[in-house]
Amino acid sequence: MRFLLDADLSPRLAELFAAHGHDAVHVDSLAHGTAADPIIGRLALETRRCIITGDYDFADIREFDPRRFGGIVVITLPRNTGPTYITGVLTYFFQKLPGLEPLDGKLLIVEIGRIRVRE
């Protein structure tokens, strides 16, 4: 799958996605690291990538209708979350991903031990 990592996530997470066989780019690599959410949404549409973010603004279906996107995945990140927690949440996501595909048109809220899906 093809993913676009939002600015609130570390660019180094692209390596974790690659290790699980996915193509992921960070918005920083597209020179849009400080872009507003609508611009990031447009980038995801233009590059046909599923958005991965910790920003709950992307869960607002009035602003970001999941039916328009190749998927929106919001990772639940408590305050002061470290890399170990984020890696754990994403590892859980990767384990469950085959049963969730395709992600097109879906909004997923991901936390350790639980994934909520809106189609």
Side-chain angles (χ1 to χ4, degrees):
M1 289 201 62
R2 294 167 43 91
F3 294 98
L4 177 63
L5 302 174
D6 195 3
D8 65 332
L9 299 174
S10 170
R12 294 184 301 179
L13 287 175
E15 297 169 14
L16 180 62
F17 279 80
H20 284 87
H22 301 289
D23 174 5
V25 297
H26 193 273
V27 294
D28 283 352
S29 68
L30 301 174
H32 292 284
T34 59
D37 292 345
I39 294 171
I40 291 169
R42 191 185 81 234
L43 283 170
L45 290 171
E46 289 173 356
T47 60
R48 304 180 93 133
R49 292 179 178 274
C50 174
I51 299 170
I52 301 286
T53 184
D55 181 352
Y56 265 87
D57 289 346
F58 283 99
D60 181 349
I61 64 171
R62 296 166 299 175
E63 181 75 24
F64 299 98
D65 184 344
R67 295 173 295 185
R68 295 181 46 230
F69 291 89
I72 300 172
V73 178
V74 179
I75 308 293
T76 301
L77 300 173
R79 292 197 184 274
N80 302 319
T81 298
T84 302
Y85 183 89
I86 295 169
T87 299
V89 171
L90 288 174
T91 299
Y92 178 76
F93 170 69
F94 293 134
Q95 291 169 350
K96 300 298 182 183
L97 185 57
L100 299 168
E101 293 181 296
L103 296 182
D104 295 54
K106 295 178 183 175
L107 167 64
L108 283 72
I109 308 295
V110 180
E111 54 193 284
I112 289 181
R114 181 175 165 186
I115 298 177
R116 292 178 282 157
V117 180
R118 179 178 181 134
E119 297 186 55

